[in-house]
Amino acid sequence: MRPILTIAIPTYNRIDKLKLCLNSIISQSNEKIEIIISDNASTDGTKNYMENLYSKNNKIRYYRNDKNLGPDSNFLNCYKKATGEYIMIFGDDDVILPGMIDNVVGILEKEKPIFMHLNHSDWLMDTLESYTLIKHGKPRLKEEGIKVYV
């Protein structure tokens, strides 16, 4: 079955941040998503970590470039590898709050938007191993919540 949503994460040498990002996504199990990691030839252990992780999780697909192609090509690789009806590009340092994936998938299924904007804010972590929200600022943009364009 084709996933409705591809969460694509380009990365390069930021394994600690990538682990937090992936933990926040994987903890929100949803059968209608796939997760793609496009690694731009990291040298910090990303390859070993990802090979172990994706061997245990069939929703994750890991692609590693033979050499660093630069950020733009790595970003575009995410689009080339995605199979979902919709694609969400995530920074390897982005972390999502509980319930976000189910909310987004529900809107995608119901509204079938052509574009969707999710607002975000800065926040502080208690440790590098945890993505528990301690404090967050005001949303970066004036609107609140999810904007759907149909």
Side-chain angles (χ1 to χ4, degrees):
M1 184 169 104
R2 180 180 181 197
I4 190 164
L5 178 63
T6 297
I7 298 175
I9 306 166
T11 192
Y12 176 68
N13 277 348
R14 292 173 23 136
I15 185 67
D16 289 336
K17 294 178 186 290
L18 180 63
K19 286 178 182 179
L20 286 171
C21 176
L22 287 171
N23 285 339
S24 74
I25 295 168
I26 293 169
S27 68
Q28 298 185 45
S29 180
N30 187 304
E31 298 302 317
K32 298 176 181 179
I33 69 165
E34 70 174 345
I35 304 164
I36 290 176
I37 309 301
S38 182
D39 181 3
N40 216 359
S42 294
T43 59
D44 65 350
T46 297
K47 179 183 178 194
N48 290 338
Y49 174 76
M50 288 307 306
E51 286 175 347
N52 183 46
L53 184 63
Y54 82 81
S55 70
K56 298 175 186 175
N57 190 320
N58 63 356
K59 283 191 224 173
I60 297 175
R61 291 190 292 138
Y62 173 67
Y63 300 97
R64 178 179 168 81
N65 299 326
D66 293 332
K67 63 181 183 174
N68 188 322
L69 304 175
D72 292 342
S73 292
N74 197 35
F75 188 88
L76 291 173
N77 193 45
C78 290
Y79 286 101
K80 291 177 187 174
K81 302 295 186 185
T83 64
E85 185 177 344
Y86 294 91
I87 301 170
M88 178 183 288
I89 300 290
F90 252 58
D92 58 7
D93 63 344
D94 290 342
V95 177
I96 60 175
L97 295 175
M100 182 272 206
I101 291 176
D102 285 339
N103 287 338
V104 168
V105 167
I107 290 169
L108 294 176
E109 290 178 323
K110 181 180 177 188
E111 302 291 337
K112 298 290 184 190
I114 56 169
F115 175 80
M116 196 162 118
H117 172 257
L118 305 176
N119 208 347
H120 61 281
S121 64
D122 294 326
W123 55 278
L124 302 172
M125 297 179 301
D126 52 353
T127 69
L128 276 179
E129 290 77 35
S130 172
Y131 64 94
T132 302
L133 181 69
I134 292 181
K135 178 182 177 185
H136 63 90
K138 293 179 182 176
R140 291 188 180 180
L141 302 174
K142 289 182 181 181
E143 69 267 8
E144 295 181 10
I146 299 173
K147 297 293 181 191
V148 179
Y149 300 89
V150 291

